[in-house]
Amino acid sequence: MSELARQAGKSRQLALVVLCLASLMVVLDGTIVVVALPSIQSDLGFSPPNLAWVVNAYLVPFGGLLLLSGRLGDLVGRRRVFLIGLFVFTLASLACGLATNQVMLIVFRFVQGAGGALASSVVLSMIVTLFPEQREQGKALGLFSFVQAGGASIGMILGGVLTQGLSWHWTMLVNVPIGVVVVAASFALLERDRGAGLRAGIDVLGAVLVTAGAMLLVYVIVDTGAPARRWSLFAAAVVLLAAFVVRQAKAATPLLPLGLFRARPVTAGNIVMVLLVAGMMGFQFLTALYLQQVLGLDALATGFAFLPTPVANALVSLGFGPRLIAKVGARKVLAGGMLIAAIGLVLLARVPVDGNYFTDVLPALLLAGIGMGAAVPAVVGAGMSAGSPEHAGVASGLVNTTLQIGSAMGTAVLATVAATRTADLVGSGSARLDAAAAGFHLAYLGSTVFVVLAIVAAVVLVPRRFGMTDTPAEVRPEVQPEAH
């Protein structure tokens, strides 16, 4: 290998680290604040219903803006959108950390979510552009997938350490120095790209419909209000998203080319993604509650209890996982990884009231980490593989939107199942801890059902082999991006 090639390879690896660090920072923010919620409630005087908006105010714009942000990356340049998002996210984090009242915190959490959507939406497209060769791309997606799957657990660990060691403010302020470093490194390491330009066309009406519909859908999922209101809002979200689909079929320059879904890996990858993430992100939320409410662990201990999951995930997704995908195919690795994760969830469905962490919880956490480490790189590769380079931004935004909606859906559905079962048993005279454990048992079975459905979808829908060349001709735009 020539010195020039060696330097180019090193530069790409550093660029990958920068992209993944930015992605990790955004992913962490979705969970790092969870263990700090009691401290935030006590300090700022939140009522229990309003406290949920410390999380929801971030999730709603984040989930709603990903698709539009990905398309903007294709048009005005992914590096530019990435940097703008990081800048907004970092400034909003500073404002959140300095918040002295409820309104200030909620408003800047919303801004934080918008910045996170801008930055996250283009990361995948930048990675697949940096690493077009299949083997290298597999390794790069392994690192990205570890960040996505392990970030939630790491967020809980870090949240417990910062909240208990310093204060809840530092769960927000920790983003500031990291954000400054990542922005500076991005200017040095990420090549400037020029998108197709706004003259290539942006579907403004489609952007309004999908952003409003996606935000409303995420809101409905995380809302805990009256059922009648939630059903009304859900119907409105469905109408908006249906109108978006109709608009995309007719628009001259669609925000999301529907021909993209004629590529089997894209459709299959996103279906599997939403089911898998619903089961596995919901499992992490449930386990955090079980450890605290049933086993009596504090915030710090709960955070560290999750450590085996990201460690096992890293060993697989950063180690032999990519080589295994290259050897036996992504579909087999995807199905096998999800099967391992499902076994872990079944083990959790029997955790007793007087459970022991090392014998009742740890084996399941390890299996979940191993399974996710194998499955997530494969499913992300499927979702991105059939996106043409010109549409990599919108494909990236679509994958991230699917991931976000699956996470919110799984957490909301499984938390509701656990709470309803617990309340029913308490109402019939069961002891509080026994009822809570039974609620978690039922919710873990629900989590298992999500993952089993994902396995079935993978076996039936995901092709054995896929790549960038699978993109149907109908997807490819007439206007090509300008050369870098």
Side-chain angles (χ1 to χ4, degrees), residues 129-218:
T129 301
L130 274 171
F131 299 93
E133 193 273 321
Q134 185 176 5
R135 189 175 184 86
E136 288 186 331
Q137 189 178 107
K139 293 179 180 179
L141 290 177
L143 179 58
F144 172 83
S145 301
F146 163 69
V147 167
Q148 295 295 312
S153 299
I154 296 172
M156 291 185 179
I157 297 169
L158 190 56
V161 171
L162 292 174
T163 302
Q164 201 152 313
L166 296 170
S167 73
W168 69 264
H169 297 275
W170 282 96
T171 61
M172 313 287 181
L173 293 174
V174 70
N175 292 324
V176 177
I178 300 174
V180 170
V181 170
V182 172
V183 168
S186 297
F187 276 108
L189 294 170
L190 300 181
E191 290 186 17
R192 181 177 302 183
D193 61 313
R194 298 175 65 187
L198 291 176
R199 286 182 299 176
I202 183 167
D203 179 17
V204 176
L205 177 58
V208 171
L209 289 171
V210 73
T211 301
M215 281 190 176
L216 195 55
L217 181 61
V218 175

Side-chain angles (χ1 to χ4, degrees), residues 69 166 225 293 317 360 445 453:
S69 300
L166 296 170
Q293 295 179 2
S317 61
D360 296 310
L445 288 176
L453 289 174

Side-chain angles (χ1 to χ4, degrees), residues 33 67 86 233 235 346 349 362 373 391 422 437 448 464 469 472 476 482:
V33 73
L67 192 58
L86 277 180
L233 293 176
V346 171
L362 179 58
H391 280 88
T422 299
T448 306
R464 292 184 179 181
T469 56
R476 299 181 188 124
E482 299 176 33

Side-chain angles (χ1 to χ4, degrees), residues 277-287 407 410-411 414 444 447:
V277 171
M280 298 310 296
M281 291 303 181
F283 131 79
Q284 296 200 48
F285 177 79
L286 292 171
T287 304
S407 176
T411 300
L414 297 175
Y444 280 129
S447 187

Side-chain angles (χ1 to χ4, degrees), residues 94-145:
L94 176 62
C96 287
L98 299 177
T100 56
N101 57 67
Q102 298 178 22
V103 173
M104 183 178 177
L105 180 59
I106 296 301
V107 167
F108 284 105
R109 283 287 284 171
F110 191 94
V111 177
Q112 213 183 11
L118 285 167
S120 297
S121 64
V122 294
V123 167
L124 265 176
S125 58
M126 296 172 80
I127 289 175
V128 298
T129 301
L130 274 171
F131 299 93
E133 193 273 321
Q134 185 176 5
R135 189 175 184 86
E136 288 186 331
Q137 189 178 107
K139 293 179 180 179
L141 290 177
L143 179 58
F144 172 83
S145 301

Side-chain angles (χ1 to χ4, degrees), residues 230-246:
R230 295 181 70 189
W231 279 111
S232 298
L233 293 176
F234 177 73
V238 170
V239 170
L240 287 169
L241 293 174
F244 168 72
V245 173
V246 173

